[in-house]
């Protein structure tokens, strides 16, 4: 059943029901959004608001990966409010209300990396479809509809949101672009997939795709590892255009040239030895 029907509201939504469930009224598919968070105090509240406003998420699992900048304290405070039965809280210095109903908080004992945080989140997720959401403002939850449409239509098991096939972009970091294209090309060579953006954060998976994998990467090696294993599993993969507002290092961007070498190693390791 096509997500394109959402704006017309032809399938009425029950109170509290997500857009994903109403779009797939027969089976009522549920969406879990997994958010790994490390030192994103400046952005995490706004990200949670945007995910909530998207209307698609049936549960949002936030995994704090040992933050030291106040992110962990904020998330613990939200967790405590929810534990006490609060339905919503004021955030952004009182400028907004955040519903706690569908939020779940997990806390890593120490910083282990994005891949480890995602494994923890996947293990706790109960939805039929998973979307990975970074805890910054580079990716926009308003793109969830694009990511979900091929899955809801029954065409795809996995959907990648590509930053390079048509969505609006912040113009930034030419050499990041070159490195990304090189790593995506190498990934395509070893997986025989024709992706334009293997490194994208925005990936949507049917639950059985992730449950059938033994993911091992702790850090940014998650992206090439999951791509290799999706290819090995012969899952149906789609790409859709998304918007992207890349950050500078002054604004908090964390990935560096060293992570490029980790990605290169991971592509070869998981294709040849795992």
């Amino acid at each position: 059943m096509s997500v394109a029907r959402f704006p017309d509201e032809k399938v009425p939504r029950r109170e509290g029901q997500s857009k994903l469930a109403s779009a797939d009224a027969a089976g009522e598919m549920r969406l879990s959004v997994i958010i790994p968070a490390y030192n994103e105090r400046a952005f995490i509240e706004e990200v949670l608001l945007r995910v909530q406003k998207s209307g698609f998420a049936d549960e949002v699992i936030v995994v704090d990966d040992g933050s030291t900048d106040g992110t962990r304290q904020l998330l613990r405070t939200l967790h405590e409010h929810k534990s006490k039965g609060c339905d919503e809280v004021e955030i952004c210095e009182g400028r907004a209300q955040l519903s706690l109903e569908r939020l779940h908080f997990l806390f890593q004992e120490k910083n282990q990396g994005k891949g480890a945080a995602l494994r923890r989140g996947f293990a706790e997720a109960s939805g039929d479809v998973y979307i990975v959401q970074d805890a910054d403002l580079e990716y926009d939850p308003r793109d969830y509809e694009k990511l979900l449409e091929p899955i809801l239509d029954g065409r795809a098991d996995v959907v990648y949101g590509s930053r390079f096939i048509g969505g609006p972009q912040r113009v930034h970091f030419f050499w990041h672009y070159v490195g990304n294209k090189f790593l995506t090309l190498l990934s395509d060579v070893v997986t025989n997939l024709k992706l334009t953006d293997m490194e994208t954060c925005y990936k949507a998976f049917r639950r059985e795709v992730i449950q059938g994998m033994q993911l091992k990467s702790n850090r940014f090696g998650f992206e090439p590892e999951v791509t290799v294993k999706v290819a090995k599993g012969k899952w149906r993969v789609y790409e859709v255009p998304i918007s992207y507002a890349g950050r500078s290092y002054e604004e908090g961007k964390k990935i560096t040239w060293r992570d490029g070498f980790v990605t290169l190693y991971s592509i070869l390791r998981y294709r040849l030895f795992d």
Side-chain angles (χ1 to χ4, degrees):
M1 194 171 294
S2 173
V3 179
R5 299 194 311 169
F6 290 157
D8 297 329
E9 293 293 339
K10 293 181 180 178
V11 178
R13 261 196 293 163
R14 298 193 305 271
E15 185 176 354
Q17 185 183 35
S18 75
K19 289 182 180 179
L20 178 61
S22 61
D24 188 62
E28 293 202 358
M29 298 179 74
R30 300 179 69 253
L31 173 65
S32 298
V33 176
I34 319 298
I35 306 179
Y38 176 65
N39 286 353
E40 296 291 358
R41 180 62 183 85
F43 302 106
I44 186 65
E45 291 175 301
E46 180 64 27
V47 168
L48 292 176
L49 277 177
R50 293 188 185 188
V51 172
Q52 177 178 284
K53 288 178 181 178
S54 77
F56 285 96
D58 291 279
E59 68 175 0
V60 180
I61 300 176
V62 188
V63 185
D64 180 80
D65 191 32
S67 296
T68 58
D69 70 336
T71 302
R72 193 177 189 89
Q73 289 84 346
L74 169 67
L75 295 177
R76 283 204 179 279
T77 298
L78 296 178
H79 175 66
E80 289 169 4
H81 282 303
K82 181 173 183 177
S83 298
K84 293 176 182 178
C86 295
D87 295 325
E88 63 180 25
V89 294
E90 288 187 350
I91 60 172
C92 300
E93 298 180 344
R95 296 190 302 273
Q97 293 284 331
L98 177 70
S99 172
L100 298 175
E101 178 185 1
R102 299 177 182 179
L103 286 175
H104 305 277
F105 303 96
L106 302 173
F107 300 91
Q108 303 281 66
E109 291 186 7
K110 61 180 180 179
N111 177 247
Q112 299 177 54
K114 178 179 180 177
L118 285 174
R119 282 201 306 276
R120 178 93 181 273
F122 291 146
E124 298 291 334
S126 63
D128 304 290
V129 181
Y130 304 156
I131 284 180
V132 177
Q133 171 73 56
D134 280 352
D136 52 34
L137 297 180
E138 292 188 326
Y139 293 84
D140 191 341
R142 287 178 294 186
D143 286 324
Y144 286 176
E145 184 170 339
K146 297 177 185 177
L147 291 165
L148 293 167
E149 183 173 359
I151 292 177
L152 289 181
D153 281 350
R155 292 174 284 145
D157 304 302
V158 180
V159 180
Y160 280 48
S162 174
R163 296 166 287 181
F164 305 126
I165 56 174
Q169 311 291 317
R170 177 181 176 181
V171 177
H172 215 41
F173 289 147
F174 171 77
W175 289 110
H176 278 195
Y177 168 81
V178 171
N180 189 304
K181 298 303 287 186
F182 169 75
L183 293 170
T184 295
L185 176 61
L186 179 60
S187 174
D188 286 354
V189 168
V190 304
T191 62
N192 199 30
L193 296 175
K194 191 180 74 66
L195 295 169
T196 64
D197 191 6
M198 176 271 295
E199 291 274 54
T200 179
C201 157
Y202 265 179
K203 296 177 173 72
F205 307 93
R206 294 182 66 93
R207 175 177 56 196
E208 54 267 32
V209 175
I210 293 297
Q211 288 185 335
M213 293 180 183
Q214 288 188 327
L215 296 169
K216 300 176 181 178
S217 295
N218 283 340
R219 306 195 73 81
F220 292 109
F222 166 80
E223 315 295 357
E225 179 188 6
V226 78
T227 302
V228 168
K229 292 181 177 179
V230 162
K232 286 183 177 181
K234 301 188 183 302
W235 298 103
R236 299 169 300 166
V237 183
Y238 267 64
E239 260 191 330
V240 297
I242 59 168
S243 60
Y244 180 66
R247 296 188 295 177
S248 67
Y249 288 106
E250 292 75 18
E251 293 168 319
K253 193 171 188 68
K254 297 179 178 66
I255 196 165
T256 69
W257 61 268
R258 295 180 181 85
D259 296 299
F261 285 104
V262 171
T263 299
L264 179 62
Y265 167 76
S266 297
I267 292 171
L268 300 176
R269 171 191 172 186
Y270 292 111
R271 179 61 183 88
L272 299 175
F273 304 111
D274 185 77

